[in-house]
Amino acid sequence: MRTIRVSLAVTALAAALTLTACDSKSGDDGAKAADCAVAVKVGPGNAATSAGDTGNVPVTVTNRGSDKCTFHGFPGVEMTGGSSSWSVAKEQDAKPAKVTLQKGEAATFTITYVRGDGGSLSAPTRTVKISIPGAGDAKAYPWSYGEVALKTPDTPDASVSPIQVAGD
């Protein structure tokens, strides 16, 4: 009888560890454990032309691998300029959905920002580093939409939406 209890406990533990190994690499993103091969295209955007205006920059993620990719959550976005960088917050109250892409299919997300005035509360953004949950390391892309206003010296007036199926 005791052997059965130990065997059941070991089986339950092994099952739990197996399920954990298939879960997200980064905690709450819910991305699959294996990296997906993706192509990322930033823009063209609805640029904010004057200080205080709001702009939207769409980002398209296309599955270039032979296997399907599943994403769930928010991409990581970091704005950089010179030796400074600023992390972009997740869109408040947004509810991410699970997105599965077959080879060649695309998903999108949007970076929304307020244009800075070039003063001390502006981020002189030149690139954005984007990390897609489940698609490997962050990669840098040129930012051609001007300076980004800062709420505080460390917080850009910007947000990123969750990944969603292209066209939603």
Side-chain angles (χ1 to χ4, degrees):
M1 194 90 137
R2 185 175 210 184
T3 305
I4 292 172
R5 286 186 190 156
V6 171
S7 295
L8 288 175
V10 169
T11 302
L13 178 61
L17 291 175
T18 301
L19 289 174
T20 302
C22 293
D23 200 2
S24 167
K25 292 188 330 181
S26 56
D28 64 354
D29 287 334
K32 48 187 257 194
D35 287 347
C36 294
V38 297
V40 175
K41 180 182 178 203
V42 178
N46 172 20
T49 55
S50 300
D53 288 349
T54 300
N56 297 294
V57 180
V59 179
T60 304
V61 180
T62 305
N63 180 3
R64 293 292 183 216
S66 57
D67 295 328
K68 69 180 177 181
C69 289
T70 300
F71 308 107
H72 186 214
F74 292 83
V77 176
E78 181 179 85
M79 298 178 162
T80 61
S83 62
S84 299
S85 63
W86 305 268
S87 292
V88 176
K90 297 173 184 175
E91 188 176 283
Q92 265 189 331
D93 301 324
K95 304 277 189 252
K98 189 176 194 180
V99 174
T100 300
L101 301 178
Q102 301 297 326
K103 180 180 181 178
E105 291 182 328
T108 63
F109 62 89
T110 302
I111 301 169
T112 301
Y113 71 101
V114 174
R115 179 76 179 250
D117 64 4
S120 63
L121 280 179
S122 286
T125 305
R126 301 295 176 254
T127 60
V128 288
K129 289 183 182 175
I130 298 174
S131 60
I132 307 297
D137 295 332
K139 293 185 175 58
Y141 301 91
W143 178 264
S144 59
Y145 304 101
E147 297 206 7
V148 177
L150 293 170
K151 293 178 183 180
T152 70
D154 298 325
T155 309
D157 197 349
S159 64
V160 61
S161 70
I163 296 172
Q164 58 188 346
V165 175
D168 279 0

